[in-house]
Amino acid sequence: MPTRSTALLRTGATLVLIGMAGAGCAKDKAGSQSNGNGATTIAVEITDAGCAPDPATAPAGAVVFRISNKDASAVTEAELKQGDTILGEKENVAPGLSGSFTLDLKPGTYAMVCPNAEKDSWDFTVTGTASAASRDPAVTAALDQAVAGYQRYVIGEVAKLVPATKQFTDAVRAGDLSRAKPLYAKARYYYEEIEPVAESFGDLDPQIDARVDNVDDPGQWTGFHRIEKALWQDRSSAGMRPVADKLDADVAKLRGLVGTAAYQPAQLANGATELLNEVAAHKITGEEDRYSHTDLSDFRANVDGARRAFDLLVPALRVVDADLAGTVTQKFADVRAALAGYGTDVDYSTVDEAHRRVLTQKVDALAEPLSQVAAKVAA
């Protein structure tokens, strides 16, 4: 499967992929690590040969997957899948970086997958019996409301994405570049808000949103960025009708899938963190919209999507860790304030390195505390 993290471009600032706090781990009877929050910790070292989870089993409940990459060059991503669905992932883990994600797992068989590795899938088993978490009933009720609210939010944003994409592709099919160009970023905004959800559906995200360096065969390249290249670099929509038709079909497929998707609180937090990592890895660098230079629109969408997921978790998080809730809220405000200095149609290629560095620092300062939320809300 093509991966979005094949090429990692960075500014002078360091890309931050933060792991959960891990002090005070102790071995449980299964040999896995138990952290101070009662979650089980699984180590996953990414190598060019694979990503074997250590250990390969855990008891049912909250599980933290700590992903590290010492020197693998071909592999920069690890994801936990059940069937064709990605439950959690950590992308853009370049050599020397690490990160983590937390999930509340029921007994069953899963797979730890690392695209581009020599062996790209490793068995992972969750044992025991799923049991209700022993937490404050008010927190449980707040988290249930958060999950329900996020489901409504995703369905609503994809419902906006479908017609916005159709307006864009209609202009492409008509060969009207002057009309298509302004519609490109407007359609993508809805997609970028809920990108982690789209990524959970296997190959659908690469079909909709892959960049040319993320596909094995450029002749099979589809989606928004293929059309972006045609409009801004080739200055022609010739041959783009099949690509436009497929984009409409793929977005319609996404709408059907999100209508039946279910979430858990930790996934909301994981997704918010991944959206911030997307900003650091691809938006601030200018890699994402390299032809149109509309990266700031995607940047705002990622931040807004992350903020929406976090806001839904705040009522529960205030009970569990009020200080963390306050810190993350303030850091979100700092990022938004930094973005407020740019107009909605700013050509990102005109933003110099010094200003990009400021944006990076604000995002990094938010990513660190935000990455701690998943472990706080997991059962």
Side-chain angles (χ1 to χ4, degrees):
M1 182 182 81
T3 175
R4 293 174 56 82
S5 53
T6 302
L8 177 61
L9 305 180
R10 288 189 260 176
T11 61
T14 303
L15 168 63
V16 177
L17 287 146
I18 306 294
M20 304 294 180
C25 292
K27 291 278 187 178
D28 67 13
K29 292 181 180 179
S32 51
Q33 299 281 335
S34 235
N35 67 21
N37 293 325
T40 301
T41 301
I42 305 296
V44 181
E45 183 178 353
I46 294 174
T47 69
D48 289 334
C51 53
D54 181 24
T57 184
V63 181
V64 179
F65 293 90
R66 296 191 182 279
I67 316 299
S68 62
N69 182 349
K70 182 179 179 182
D71 54 16
S73 57
V75 187
T76 58
E77 175 183 351
E79 53 197 34
L80 188 76
K81 298 181 70 174
Q82 188 168 45
D84 294 329
T85 302
I86 300 173
L87 301 179
E89 64 181 343
K90 182 56 62 179
E91 298 182 307
N92 307 314
V93 188
L97 296 181
S98 63
S100 65
F101 61 88
T102 302
L103 292 167
D104 186 14
L105 296 178
K106 297 178 180 179
T109 302
Y110 302 80
M112 180 60 65
V113 178
C114 40
N116 299 326
E118 293 174 16
K119 179 179 178 182
D120 62 5
S121 183
W122 301 74
D123 290 342
F124 183 74
T125 304
V126 177
T127 61
T129 303
S131 59
S134 56
R135 60 156 57 108
D136 184 338
V139 173
T140 299
L143 292 175
D144 288 345
Q145 291 177 8
V147 168
Y150 190 69
Q151 184 180 44
R152 290 192 298 271
Y153 168 69
V154 171
I155 290 172
E157 295 312 288
V158 177
K160 298 173 188 175
L161 171 66
V162 171
T165 302
K166 182 67 162 49
Q167 290 180 348
F168 170 62
T169 54
D170 280 347
V172 172
R173 281 184 285 262
D176 190 343
L177 273 62
S178 62
R179 184 161 63 96
K181 285 183 175 181
L183 295 171
Y184 169 77
K186 291 180 180 178
R188 282 181 53 74
Y189 195 93
Y190 301 116
Y191 186 80
E192 291 291 328
E193 286 180 300
I194 54 89
E195 188 172 8
V197 176
E199 289 180 339
S200 71
F201 301 120
D203 288 338
L204 190 56
D205 174 65
Q207 291 169 14
I208 293 173
D209 202 39
R211 295 173 294 277
V212 66
D213 39 307
N214 304 140
V215 297
D216 296 328
D217 179 4
Q220 300 299 312
W221 182 22
T222 62
F224 278 113
H225 292 300
R226 176 64 188 91
I227 300 175
E228 178 200 9
K229 178 180 180 295
L231 298 181
W232 274 273
Q233 180 169 296
D234 303 337
R235 299 182 181 180
S236 171
S237 62
M240 287 297 102
R241 177 176 287 274
V243 181
D245 292 346
K246 178 170 172 50
L247 180 56
D248 284 336
D250 288 337
V251 169
K253 181 179 179 181
L254 176 63
R255 184 176 189 175
L257 290 170
V258 301
T260 60
Y263 310 97
Q264 54 179 265
Q267 286 178 305
L268 273 63
N270 291 334
T273 300
E274 281 305 298
L275 282 169
L276 265 293
N277 288 336
E278 273 287 314
V279 170
H282 303 299
K283 275 66 174 185
I284 287 178
T285 63
E287 175 190 354
E288 181 79 12
D289 296 297
R290 63 190 68 172
Y291 311 107
S292 63
H293 306 302
T294 56
D295 305 88
L296 282 171
S297 175
D298 286 358
F299 189 147
R300 286 187 174 88
N302 285 163
V303 172
D304 285 350
R307 180 60 192 261
R308 180 59 175 166
F310 171 73
D311 281 350
L312 289 164
L313 294 170
V314 165
L317 187 61
R318 281 178 178 155
V319 177
V320 176
D321 192 330
D323 289 343
L324 180 60
T327 297
V328 176
T329 298
Q330 181 57 55
K331 298 302 181 182
F332 264 116
D334 293 343
V335 171
R336 283 183 163 180
L339 282 172
Y342 301 90
T344 57
D345 297 321
V346 169
D347 182 325
Y348 191 61
S349 66
T350 65
V351 179
D352 62 27
E353 288 298 320
H355 288 88
R356 294 188 187 195
R357 194 173 302 114
V358 171
L359 292 173
T360 301
Q361 291 167 350
K362 298 296 184 183
V363 169
D364 287 352
L366 168 59
E368 192 281 325
L370 183 61
S371 72
Q372 301 174 33
V373 174
K376 298 289 185 178
V377 299

